Amino acid sequence: YKFVNYSNSMYTKTGKASLKFQLINQRADFSFALFSGGLLNPKLVTVSNFISFVNPKAPLYPRIAQGKSWDEMTVTWTSGYDISEATPFVEWSIKGKTPMQSPAGTLTFGRNAMCGSPASTVGWRDPGFIHTSFLKELWPNKVYTYRLGHLLSNGSEIWSKQYSFKSSPYPGQNSLQRVIIFGDMGKAERDGSNEYNNYQPGSLNTTDQLIKDLENIDIVFHIGDMTYANGYISQWDQFTAQVEPIASKVPYMIGSGNHERDWPNTGSFYNTTDSGGECGVLAQTMFYVPAENREKFWYSTDYGMFRFCIGDTEHDWREGTEQYKFIEHCLATVDRQKQPWLIFAAHRVLGYSSDFYYGLEGSFEEPMGRESLQKLWQKYKVDIAFYGHVHNYERTCPIYQNQCVNKERSQYSGTVNGTIHVVVGGAGSHLSNFSQVTPKWSLYRDYDFGFVKLTAFNHSSLLFEYKKSSDGNVYDSFTISRDYKDVLACVHDGCEPTTLAT
């Protein structure tokens, strides 16, 4: 390129410079534009030639998720092939065995499915086609290989590269099981180019720490605020490309957050514009969750000795609602002798947080957050409740009726007499300040990026670790040791009335 400085007509300057960009396949050609004048007075200088991918329609970015039963894995991916052009399927097998093929369903959506701007205007981009296949009747704890395929009308086949995953353990199985939980990660540029306002500065560190430790991870829960696309739809491709090394190998389970769902007059519990007009359409199409209705983003899923009850804070959770009934059913139907580790998770803080703004409100929670649900956590003896939305890390003592019921900090044993609440929303987005007041129930606070790892060694021993995204080291931890009789033990008003009648 030749750069001309018009500020002084006596001089003409030429020079050379090089920049490296990482491009991902988004089903279209790329070109580069050079502007002068900065952000305030941009002027187009020149545009490059088009850069094309060999096959812009290729199947890409697989993300696997637990199905509606423990022995089912779903595979979702993106391509440029409509069903009129090619038939999607997954070829898969236990490693080393004869492969079989399973068909895939295909979804997409148009601009008219968006609820407002920018998603329906300047942020709109054709999302391509989203395919999901259901791999059923899996053997527990087996390594399966798979690849994505499209059968073209002329009989030829288009293939992705080969991937692998380990199938889920049988519910209640006694084996080593490792879970990652975080919220509010987002995405960033691998090539160092600028993201507007550097909105998610920690996201690549979190992603890379998980990739680095992937052999020691069995399942991931990303509880809301996933991409922060906020109506700029091409960023969903960017996010799925970023997490592909993780989501293609272990189940990547998601929750719904305000940046996925909220839009006025669309049934969201919050009347904000945080989704940029997406109103949940992108999240519920791009990722699979085992919900009865993916518009209502609450679901349960079992993984070995864990039962996870995932709430949707962008829909009403209060007593008497459809979601409240689901949450109680999820908590009430777990067999704690087989699945002792009962986890609740949702995006907004329905429990306890000393976030600065919650502190100003005096609630130290999402308004109306725990008033209805706390009786359920207490009745069904939820071990740990996780939240995002607040971009930091905080852990409470075991709490019953707003009070600490255990003075221990690092080792809990015996009767389950309270629920530990954890804010783990510091996976990547700009950090949130704490209140200047530290409530008595707040045991550990960290203004940094990080995530949580749970390790179940057996039915009686659970390890909790908070790791920083910057180095992957553990900065807060505790253990829970107990037997089944400790779950059954009556605490406070937690048991039904009894009688001596014969």
Side-chain angles (χ1 to χ4, degrees):
Y1 294 106
K2 182 177 181 180
F3 298 92
V4 181
N5 184 343
Y6 292 103
S7 60
N8 187 332
S9 58
M10 293 177 62
Y11 298 98
T12 300
K13 295 183 178 179
T14 61
K16 290 183 178 180
S18 64
L19 292 169
K20 290 185 178 180
F21 295 95
Q22 183 186 53
L23 302 182
I24 62 169
N25 188 342
Q26 293 189 284
R27 303 168 301 283
D29 295 337
F30 282 83
S31 63
F32 293 91
L34 177 66
F35 289 85
S36 64
L39 290 173
L40 297 179
N41 188 29
K43 293 180 180 177
L44 181 63
V45 176
T46 189
V47 178
S48 73
N49 297 330
F50 286 117
I51 299 169
S52 299
F53 281 85
V54 173
N55 181 8
K57 295 185 176 184
L60 294 168
Y61 320 134
R63 43 259 185 207
I64 66 174
Q66 297 264 91
K68 289 187 178 179
S69 62
W70 70 269
D71 61 349
E72 179 180 58
M73 194 72 78
T74 68
V75 183
T76 300
W77 72 96
T78 305
S79 85
Y81 292 112
D82 192 359
I83 54 171
S84 62
E85 201 175 358
T87 302
F89 63 96
V90 172
E91 185 175 88
W92 59 288
S93 70
I94 291 181
K95 194 171 184 179
K97 300 293 185 180
T98 303
M100 64 190 91
Q101 294 182 349
S102 292
T106 298
L107 296 173
T108 190
F109 51 88
R111 192 192 297 253
N112 59 352
M114 302 294 95
C115 294
S117 181
S120 61
T121 56
V122 295
W124 170 256
R125 189 175 184 283
D126 190 310
F129 299 95
I130 316 304
H131 315 282
T132 300
S133 184
F134 298 83
L135 314 186
K136 298 175 180 288
E137 298 182 356
L138 302 180
W139 291 52
N141 318 299
K142 295 293 185 183
V143 174
Y144 284 81
T145 59
Y146 71 98
R147 58 177 179 163
L148 319 172
H150 289 265
L151 176 62
L152 300 180
S153 55
N154 64 7
S156 62
E157 295 171 329
I158 303 294
W159 294 103
S160 73
K161 67 180 184 181
Q162 187 164 277
Y163 301 89
S164 68
F165 66 85
K166 185 180 179 183
S167 56
S168 300
Y170 186 81
Q173 177 187 298
N174 193 7
S175 61
L176 183 67
Q177 294 154 17
R178 300 150 303 182
V179 181
I180 297 293
I181 304 178
F182 58 84
D184 307 75
M185 186 169 77
K187 76 275 156 227
E189 302 291 348
R190 283 277 177 205
D191 52 29
S193 54
N194 290 336
E195 164 83 11
Y196 174 69
N197 211 23
N198 196 23
Y199 200 67
Q200 300 114 49
S203 62
L204 287 181
N205 279 354
T206 299
T207 301
D208 290 346
Q209 288 297 345
L210 298 182
I211 294 170
K212 187 177 177 182
D213 194 37
L214 202 53
E215 293 304 315
N216 300 305
I217 294 170
D218 295 310
I219 189 169
V220 170
F221 287 85
H222 186 162
I223 51 174
D225 284 11
M226 298 165 59
T227 67
Y228 292 93
N230 299 340
Y232 288 89
I233 293 169
S234 66
Q235 297 201 15
W236 282 86
D237 278 326
Q238 186 180 338
F239 177 79
T240 52
Q242 180 175 309
V243 301
E244 183 207 49
I246 306 163
S248 64
K249 190 172 178 64
V250 300
Y252 199 92
M253 312 303 295
I254 66 166
S256 179
N258 51 305
H259 285 280
E260 280 80 50
R261 180 62 182 85
D262 291 2
W263 194 259
N265 303 312
T266 64
S268 172
F269 193 47
Y270 293 85
N271 204 37
T272 73
T273 60
D274 292 350
S275 77
E278 293 178 13
C279 56
V281 173
L282 271 296
Q284 68 198 44
T285 306
M286 298 289 287
F287 282 80
Y288 177 85
V289 294
E292 290 303 316
N293 179 348
R294 282 155 75 180
E295 161 66 17
K296 299 169 181 176
F297 229 85
W298 52 78
Y299 64 93
S300 67
T301 193
D302 293 331
Y303 192 90
M305 294 177 284
F306 289 94
R307 159 69 60 89
F308 297 94
C309 300
I310 309 300
D312 177 359
T313 57
E314 311 317 300
H315 285 88
D316 197 347
W317 61 83
R318 293 173 297 176
E319 193 165 2
T321 62
E322 183 183 358
Q323 180 170 197
Y324 181 91
K325 294 172 185 174
F326 156 77
I327 293 170
E328 177 157 30
H329 183 263
C330 182
L331 299 176
T333 53
V334 61
D335 180 347
R336 298 297 287 275
Q337 191 268 326
K338 295 182 177 65
Q339 293 176 291
W341 312 118
L342 183 54
I343 307 297
F344 176 81
H347 178 63
R348 293 174 186 259
V349 183
L350 303 184
Y352 297 81
S353 163
S354 60
D355 170 64
F356 177 78
Y357 291 103
Y358 288 156
L360 289 181
E361 293 169 345
S363 61
F364 291 117
E365 60 158 348
E366 194 71 34
M368 304 179 288
R370 60 180 176 261
E371 280 66 17
S372 294
L373 295 179
Q374 185 158 263
K375 66 180 73 172
L376 298 183
W377 302 326
Q378 293 170 175
K379 179 178 180 179
Y380 298 109
K381 300 181 180 179
V382 170
D383 291 296
I384 311 173
F386 288 94
Y387 316 98
H389 194 59
V390 171
H391 302 165
N392 55 38
Y393 170 77
E394 185 168 24
R395 169 170 70 98
T396 76
C397 58
I399 294 178
Y400 191 96
Q401 297 293 73
N402 304 323
Q403 301 293 321
C404 288
V405 290
N406 193 320
K407 294 182 180 179
E408 289 291 329
R409 297 180 66 92
S410 59
Q411 210 287 322
Y412 302 100
S413 59
T415 304
V416 185
N417 57 5
T419 297
I420 296 168
H421 295 261
V422 178
V423 174
V424 62
S429 192
H430 60 285
L431 294 168
S432 303
N433 291 315
F434 287 102
S435 169
Q436 293 179 340
V437 175
T438 305
K440 288 184 178 179
W441 41 255
S442 181
L443 290 189
Y444 192 102
R445 307 198 302 186
D446 190 36
Y447 180 81
D448 204 349
F449 300 106
F451 54 93
V452 161
K453 184 175 185 179
L454 299 177
T455 303
F457 296 102
N458 50 49
H459 286 78
S460 302
S461 182
L462 180 74
L463 171 64
F464 173 107
E465 297 172 300
Y466 163 67
K467 298 186 174 188
K468 286 186 190 284
S469 300
S470 56
D471 57 17
N473 293 333
V474 177
Y475 286 80
D476 182 35
S477 66
F478 64 84
T479 59
I480 300 176
S481 303
R482 61 149 190 261
D483 296 316
Y484 178 50
K485 64 179 183 292
D486 299 321
V487 182
L488 297 178
C490 294
V491 295
H492 314 299
D493 55 353
C495 273
E496 300 295 328
T498 58
T499 176
L500 294 178
T502 59

